[in-house]
Amino acid sequence: MALAQTSPKITTQSIIVNPVASPLKVSVWTAKDPTGTKTPTYVAGDRMTLNVKTTQDAYVYLFNVDQKGNVDLILPNKFTSGANFIKANTTKSFPSKEDKFTFDIAGPAGLNKVLAVASKTELDLEDIAQFKEDQTTGFATVTVRGGQNGLAQALSIIVKPLPSKDWVTDVAQYQISAKVATPPVPVATTTATWKSSFKSALGLNRVYEFYANQLKAIGYEADETTTTRQQIVGKFSMADESTANLTVKQRPGTTTYDVVVTRKE
């Protein structure tokens, strides 16, 4: 006898919900809110850790939807902790302690939602996100359009053929504050030299790490760092011998920073 499937519910708060009770449960939460029920606030430059746990062995997919409707697939990814099969009652953190990068908050300001989808079987996300051959970061390129509603519609098609007891979702929310200005992100893929001057309360080390992580996200590795009282200079390289230099300088007695990123292919 074939098992009946129940259509997923699409809601404003939770994005997509399985209306059928299932022994499979998934919980997602940020490090600032272990309960997963509140909406913690982050500012630009803060480092965030996402945690997820299931009651049964399952494949877990994490999507972030920001204030402007941009969708990112956080898990699975190509980093050390990027595998998305999770054993029952085991907490998986991203980034993990083994990862050589941090998950830095960058904006835009506003409410963000992290959707966790857990499934007993692996899902085919080809119509939503793809790991391209020339991918420059460890994350997939998300192709779904329409923000939260577009993601919900696409996922409802993917999970509908599954037995209702074999999939479940959860949502965690966090707010990005506009109180601290986000340092501008360099357009490193289109310019050989990028410069910016701005004020920030983050401090010299955090501003430098913000830009160092931008370079690492597109495939660079740090080779050398030189630190003085008011300046940090870093040298980076890629496997294809492309190089980049990052200079972050704090003007004496101020919170103003001058940043220069120079790339050579």
Side-chain angles (χ1 to χ4, degrees):
M1 180 177 67
L3 295 175
Q5 280 82 37
T6 303
S7 297
K9 289 184 178 180
I10 297 175
T11 69
T12 301
Q13 181 69 17
S14 300
I15 303 179
I16 181 172
V17 177
N18 187 341
V20 176
S22 169
L24 172 62
K25 306 294 182 185
V26 63
S27 299
V28 62
W29 67 96
T30 67
K32 277 192 174 184
D33 175 31
T35 69
T37 60
K38 300 177 182 179
T39 306
T41 298
Y42 290 84
V43 297
D46 276 350
R47 292 174 177 175
M48 184 170 70
T49 299
L50 292 173
N51 302 284
V52 64
K53 186 176 183 179
T54 59
T55 56
Q56 298 180 348
D57 293 358
Y59 293 92
V60 175
Y61 303 83
L62 294 181
F63 296 89
N64 187 89
V65 184
D66 71 15
Q67 176 71 18
K68 292 186 177 181
N70 299 313
V71 180
D72 294 301
L73 176 61
I74 301 173
L75 192 72
N77 59 67
K78 298 296 186 181
F79 295 108
T80 301
S81 63
N84 68 321
F85 180 75
I86 299 178
K87 299 292 290 184
N89 301 311
T90 300
T91 298
K92 182 180 180 67
S93 298
F94 179 79
S96 73
K97 294 180 180 179
E98 290 74 31
D99 283 320
K100 297 180 180 179
F101 67 96
T102 56
F103 190 179
D104 290 359
I105 297 298
L111 182 66
N112 279 241
K113 295 182 179 181
V114 179
L115 170 67
V117 181
S119 171
K120 296 286 288 181
T121 57
E122 202 165 3
L123 301 180
D124 181 4
L125 299 185
E126 185 70 17
D127 291 335
I128 292 180
Q130 301 172 5
F131 287 99
K132 298 182 178 180
E133 292 182 2
D134 59 347
Q135 196 78 30
T136 57
T137 74
F139 295 103
T141 299
V142 176
T143 56
V144 66
R145 296 291 181 266
Q148 178 176 308
N149 290 336
L151 176 62
Q153 294 288 348
L155 285 173
S156 66
I157 295 172
I158 291 172
V159 300
K160 187 173 182 179
L162 302 178
S164 296
K165 64 181 179 61
D166 285 357
W167 70 276
V168 70
T169 65
D170 188 36
V171 168
Q173 299 186 144
Y174 64 94
Q175 190 81 18
I176 298 180
S177 172
K179 291 183 179 179
V180 177
T182 303
V185 178
V187 188
T189 56
T190 58
T191 58
T193 300
W194 181 90
K195 299 179 180 180
S196 182
S197 298
F198 55 89
K199 292 184 178 181
S200 175
L202 295 179
L204 178 62
N205 289 331
R206 296 290 296 277
V207 171
Y208 176 84
E209 289 172 0
F210 181 91
Y211 287 101
N213 286 331
Q214 297 295 327
L215 290 171
K216 292 174 183 177
I218 59 175
Y220 283 95
E221 293 186 0
D223 296 327
E224 181 182 332
T225 304
T226 303
T227 303
T228 60
R229 185 178 178 181
Q230 293 176 320
Q231 179 174 283
I232 302 178
V233 178
K235 295 183 178 180
F236 300 78
S237 64
M238 280 187 175
D240 64 1
E241 299 186 355
S242 296
T243 61
N245 289 336
L246 167 63
T247 301
V248 178
K249 183 177 181 179
Q250 183 176 9
R251 298 182 188 178
T254 73
T255 57
T256 299
Y257 295 87
D258 299 306
V259 179
V260 180
V261 179
T262 303
R263 299 175 65 246
K264 183 178 180 181
E265 297 182 352

